[in-house]
Amino acid sequence: MNFVSTGQGSAVLLIHGLFGNLDNLKSLGQTLETHHQVIRVDVPNHGLSEHWQQMDYPSLAHAMAGLLDELDIERAHIVGHSMGGKIAMATALTFPERIITMVAADIAPVAYEPRHDIVFAALKSLPLESHTDRRFALNHLITQGVDEATAQFLLKNLQRTDTGFRWKLNLNGLKDCYPHIIGWYNQSPNPSQVYAGPSLFIRGGDSNYVTSEHRAAIMSQFPAAQAKTLEGCGHWLHAQKPAIFNRIVSEFIDKHTE
C-alpha cells in the first residue's frame, strides 16, 4: 500500500473512506503528528495503492497488519472514516493484540443497503479520453445527479493524460467489490471476534449512518465502546467540523497512549 508517515511517537494509522485517498484525514494527521507517528494510507484500489480485484474486510485487515509489520510497529492506534472505519474495526477484531485504540467515524459494524449507485453510474459515464477540462467533468457529474460538493471530492481521483483523463482509483474493481464494501465480514460476522480495547464511535448528528438500531451490533463486537455525536454535521464530519473532530480523536488517543 502507498502511505505517508510523519511525526514520531506512538503509531496512529489513518484510513480514508470510499473514493478517497490518504489526504482525506491529513488535517487530523497534522494535529496528531506533534506527539505521534502518523501513517496515512491509500486503501487498495484508491490513490497510488495497488489494484485488487477481490476486496473485502478480512483481506484489508490483513493488509493493515502487514503494513504494521513492514514498518516494524508492534501496536498502533487505528482511525478510519466510513469504509476506513470498517477497515479499522475489522483490523481491531482480527488482530486485537496489535491495536491500542480504535476510532470509527460515522460508520457501524453492520451491513448497509447500497448508497452509491448514482455515483458509480456518474463516474462510469464520464467520457475520459475526449475532454481535458475539469469543469466539463464537474458539470457532467452534477447533471448525473451528484451534488457539487461530492462531485468536487470525486474529481480529486482524476489524473490528466496526454489525451484526457484517467481514474487513479480502480473504478471497475470498486464496483465489483461494492457488495463486500457495504457488507460486513461477508454478511456473517464471527460472533467470537471481539475487540475489548478502548474504542470510540463518532457520528454526525445529521447523518443516518450510525443510529440507535446499531447499538447492539457495536456493543457486541466492541464492548468498551464510547460514543460521541457532532451536532450540525453529516457523514463528512471530519471535513465539516475539523477542529472539534481532531480534538476529540487526539484526546482519546492521548488518554490511552502507552
Side-chain angles (χ1 to χ4, degrees):
M1 283 184 296
N2 181 55
F3 67 90
V4 170
S5 177
T6 57
Q8 293 182 328
S10 181
V12 185
L13 198 58
L14 303 185
I15 312 173
H16 63 80
L18 182 61
F19 304 121
N21 62 43
L22 55 75
D23 283 340
N24 291 164
L25 293 172
K26 187 175 183 179
S27 173
L28 174 60
Q30 290 171 333
T31 298
L32 292 169
E33 66 187 13
T34 56
H35 298 104
H36 301 276
Q37 178 186 2
V38 177
I39 303 106
R40 294 182 286 117
V41 304
D42 280 335
V43 173
N45 285 333
H46 296 77
L48 300 179
S49 284
E50 62 186 3
H51 288 183
W52 290 5
Q53 295 309 309
Q54 183 65 31
M55 177 181 176
D56 55 36
Y57 292 110
S59 299
L60 290 163
H62 280 81
M64 296 302 155
L67 178 60
L68 295 181
D69 291 340
E70 178 184 337
L71 296 174
D72 198 25
I73 295 170
E74 183 177 352
R75 302 182 74 217
H77 306 272
I78 192 165
V79 182
H81 170 250
S82 196
M83 177 193 72
K86 280 192 167 183
I87 299 172
M89 289 187 281
T91 306
L93 290 170
T94 309
F95 303 98
E97 73 283 357
R98 308 292 301 272
I99 302 302
I100 305 169
T101 66
M102 192 287 301
V103 180
D106 212 55
I107 200 72
V110 299
Y112 287 84
E113 294 296 319
R115 293 172 179 244
H116 300 90
D117 291 347
I118 290 175
V119 170
F120 275 116
L123 294 178
K124 289 182 73 69
S125 66
L126 179 63
L128 296 175
E129 287 298 317
S130 56
H131 294 276
T132 58
D133 188 347
R134 287 181 178 269
R135 289 172 298 179
F136 170 85
L138 176 63
N139 290 333
H140 175 86
L141 296 187
I142 292 173
T143 60
Q144 296 298 308
V146 180
D147 66 88
E148 183 170 356
T150 301
Q152 294 278 14
F153 166 75
L154 293 169
L155 291 180
K156 293 179 181 179
N157 291 292
L158 277 184
Q159 186 173 51
R160 195 177 298 278
T161 68
D162 292 338
T163 58
F165 292 107
R166 72 174 188 89
W167 294 115
K168 286 186 282 187
L169 52 72
N170 180 10
L171 185 57
N172 290 331
L174 290 175
K175 183 69 169 65
D176 292 342
C177 296
Y178 187 65
H180 296 304
I181 294 171
I182 60 173
W184 182 233
Y185 275 97
N186 295 325
Q187 317 298 329
S188 300
N190 183 346
S192 67
Q193 287 184 306
V194 172
Y195 176 71
S199 54
L200 176 63
F201 289 77
I202 312 174
R203 64 178 293 270
D206 298 332
S207 171
N208 63 356
Y209 272 79
V210 182
T211 69
S212 59
E213 296 176 353
H214 298 138
R215 176 178 173 80
I218 291 171
M219 296 309 298
S220 66
Q221 297 168 80
F222 300 89
Q226 301 176 39
K228 295 277 188 181
T229 298
L230 269 60
E231 299 294 350
C233 58
H235 187 56
W236 303 95
L237 64 178
H238 61 291
Q240 292 173 297
K241 293 205 170 179
I244 187 170
F245 177 82
N246 294 350
R247 177 176 59 79
I248 289 171
V249 175
S250 62
E251 287 179 354
F252 180 77
I253 288 175
D254 288 343
K255 180 180 177 180
H256 297 285
T257 294
E258 300 166 322

